[in-house]
Amino acid sequence: MKLAVVGGGSTYTPELIDGFARLRDTLPITELVLVDPAAERLELVGGLARRIFARQDHDGKIVTTSDLDAGVEGADAVLLQLRVGGQAAREQDETWPLECGCVGQETTGAGGLAKALRTVPVVLDIAERVRRANPDAWIIDFTNPVGIVTRALLQAGHKAVGLCNVAIGLQRKFAGLLGVAPSEVHLDHVGLNHLTWERAVRLGGPEGDNVLPRLLAEHGDAVADDLRLPRPVLDRLGVVPSYYLRYFYAHDEVVRELGTKPSRAAEVAAMERELLEMYGDPALDEKPALLAKRGGAFYSEAAVDLAASLLGGGGSPYQVVNTYNNGTLPFLPDDAVVETQASVGSGGAVPLPVAPVDPLYAGLIAHVTAYEDLALEAALRGGRDRVFKALLAHPLVGQYDRADGLTDRLIAHNREHLAWV
């Protein structure tokens, strides 16, 4: 089995490699290709990757290359983990929206739109080259904003499934609090990428007992602290929102906070420099503890599970993925991309039936889906007016003067990445 990772020079990659090594019975990789144009980073990451495999007695071959076409040739699956513009672009995404009184964040709001505009054309070009090299290959997208990028891939006819680590992180968190194995925890996870709620936590599978009320009663403070939301909010809602909902439920508070401290991008850039220095140590043969602070917890386990199921292996019967709605949420178009529990196999992902969604959540889901429609249109066709309309439609913007100011700033900070400017 051959897998390719596009963006293989990412500091995330050792997390992925560790999962591939530990879970080789689930996903028996014979060749892993790390593809990245940043040769120096790729050499450091590739060296550590080989040492991790060797330490864990994995006999798969690890290849590094900057040649995308050669790297994906013959691959059974291609994992995308790109950051177009690097941490420098992320730094901009997190700062200029604050000038207009809006959240600066890399996957939602104005910053998220900027990332989508930079990313969608690049991902579609890569996917087309994958299709020419190997039309049967699956594309697993971990590149943010996952919902918009996955929708672009699916609309272009690619065999693609989107993946995020929010659900698996919550599953592992809840399992620890409940004292059960993670495989016993099934989430009633509903919404869009980075806009989801856990409406039930069931033990044993989709039909198991819902222990969410007990979880909140006994461990609500710990859950609230992780989400940085007040405990009474969780008690009143009776659900667990993803931590991204804080940008919606406490927008103004978050804007004030962001204006008083360094950006997350600056923190990550410093962390990456330290990680890359560690990766260059020939004695290091396991992922360093610092990597846990980088983000992406349990990303490798989710990726292995999904790839194994898509390639006919031993993945979990149900997984939270991003895929076409196809009637799952009846208030959305069929070609919207939702994030939900699905049955995953060699034919792709089929969402499980979802109970009716409370208007409190359905309204916001529909609102953000409308924004994503306009965001994808702007990413595919360009133009200032399309960018403005997408921003005006976003619930974190929603005012014409803010949308105007954000449009000017977005274009000014992303000229080199927007072919239509």
Side-chain angles (χ1 to χ4, degrees), residues 7 73 84 89 98 114 116 124 177 188 206 238 287 327 346 370:
E73 181 72 37
V84 180
L98 297 174
L124 289 179
L177 293 173
D188 178 3
K287 63 177 184 180
S346 58

Side-chain angles (χ1 to χ4, degrees), residues 243-291:
Y243 54 85
Y244 287 94
L245 264 298
R246 186 168 184 261
Y247 297 116
F248 295 82
Y249 292 164
H251 175 273
D252 294 351
E253 177 183 342
V254 173
V255 169
R256 288 192 295 270
E257 287 178 4
L258 293 175
T260 62
K261 62 181 183 180
S263 68
R264 173 63 177 165
E267 294 175 357
V268 170
M271 202 178 305
E272 286 197 333
R273 288 191 292 271
E274 188 174 351
L275 284 169
L276 289 170
E277 185 174 346
M278 290 179 176
Y279 295 171
D281 180 356
L284 182 66
D285 59 2
E286 59 184 344
K287 63 177 184 180
L290 178 62
L291 187 55

Side-chain angles (χ1 to χ4, degrees), residues 55-75:
R55 176 189 174 97
Q56 301 195 35
D57 296 321
H58 194 302
D59 58 5
K61 179 172 68 171
I62 295 179
V63 177
T64 58
T65 181
S66 59
D67 186 334
L68 174 67
D69 297 311
V72 302
E73 181 72 37

Side-chain angles (χ1 to χ4, degrees), residues 39-386:
E40 185 176 349
R41 289 171 63 106
L42 187 59
E43 181 180 358
L44 295 173
V45 173
L48 175 57
R50 294 186 185 97
R51 295 192 297 272
I52 291 173
F53 264 30
R55 176 189 174 97
Q56 301 195 35
D57 296 321
H58 194 302
D59 58 5
K61 179 172 68 171
I62 295 179
V63 177
T64 58
T65 181
S66 59
D67 186 334
L68 174 67
D69 297 311
V72 302
E73 181 72 37
D76 296 289
V78 178
L79 180 65
L80 305 181
Q81 52 172 34
L82 312 177
R83 184 178 295 281
V84 180
Q87 293 298 334
R90 177 180 180 174
E91 170 80 17
Q92 297 296 328
D93 293 345
E94 293 179 348
T95 52
W96 55 261
L98 297 174
E99 298 171 6
C100 298
C102 293
V103 159
Q105 212 278 331
E106 64 160 341
T107 65
T108 192
L113 177 60
K115 187 168 191 185
L117 297 182
R118 293 193 304 269
T119 304
V120 166
V122 174
V123 165
L124 289 179
D125 176 66
I126 291 169
E128 190 56 43
R129 292 163 71 176
V130 171
R131 179 156 53 189
R132 290 199 300 266
N134 184 8
D136 292 327
W138 278 101
I139 294 176
I140 298 173
D141 179 63
F142 195 69
T143 297
N144 281 319
V146 168
I148 295 172
V149 172
T150 301
R151 188 170 182 180
L153 288 166
L154 291 173
Q155 286 187 351
H158 297 290
K159 293 176 61 177
V161 180
L163 181 65
C164 180
N165 70 323
V166 167
I168 193 171
L170 287 171
Q171 181 201 42
R172 298 306 197 263
K173 174 70 175 180
F174 296 160
L177 293 173
L178 294 166
V180 300
S183 60
E184 288 296 303
V185 176
H186 182 92
L187 303 178
D188 178 3
H189 181 101
V190 65
L192 312 176
N193 180 240
H194 290 184
L195 193 85
T196 52
W197 296 263
E198 313 306 328
R199 300 184 301 171
V201 178
R202 301 190 182 277
L203 295 184
E207 306 304 322
D209 293 336
N210 178 21
V211 296
L212 180 58
R214 173 163 68 89
L215 181 73
L216 289 177
E218 296 177 1
H219 305 286
D221 288 342
V223 175
D225 286 347
D226 278 355
L227 302 176
R228 299 189 63 203
L229 287 171
R231 166 72 185 272
V233 172
L234 300 189
D235 291 336
R236 293 172 71 181
L237 295 177
V239 303
V240 177
S242 84
Y243 54 85
Y244 287 94
L245 264 298
R246 186 168 184 261
Y247 297 116
F248 295 82
Y249 292 164
H251 175 273
D252 294 351
E253 177 183 342
V254 173
V255 169
R256 288 192 295 270
E257 287 178 4
L258 293 175
T260 62
K261 62 181 183 180
S263 68
R264 173 63 177 165
E267 294 175 357
V268 170
M271 202 178 305
E272 286 197 333
R273 288 191 292 271
E274 188 174 351
L275 284 169
L276 289 170
E277 185 174 346
M278 290 179 176
Y279 295 171
D281 180 356
L284 182 66
D285 59 2
E286 59 184 344
K287 63 177 184 180
L290 178 62
L291 187 55
K293 298 181 180 180
R294 171 69 180 81
F298 308 112
Y299 154 45
S300 62
E301 295 178 30
V304 167
D305 212 12
L306 178 55
S309 293
L310 293 172
L311 300 177
S316 303
Y318 308 116
Q319 298 170 45
V320 174
V321 298
N322 286 260
T323 191
Y324 269 150
N325 178 47
N326 282 338
T328 305
L329 300 181
F331 54 89
L332 297 184
D334 284 349
D335 67 348
V337 164
V338 295
E339 184 171 289
T340 188
Q341 288 278 4
S343 174
V344 183
S346 58
V350 179
L352 300 183
V354 170
V357 179
D358 188 289
L360 179 61
Y361 316 121
L364 187 53
I365 291 169
H367 194 163
V368 175
T369 297
Y371 151 76
E372 290 189 348
D373 288 345
L374 295 167
L376 183 54
E377 183 76 1
L380 294 174
R381 301 180 62 192
R384 187 188 189 281
D385 283 350
R386 293 188 181 93

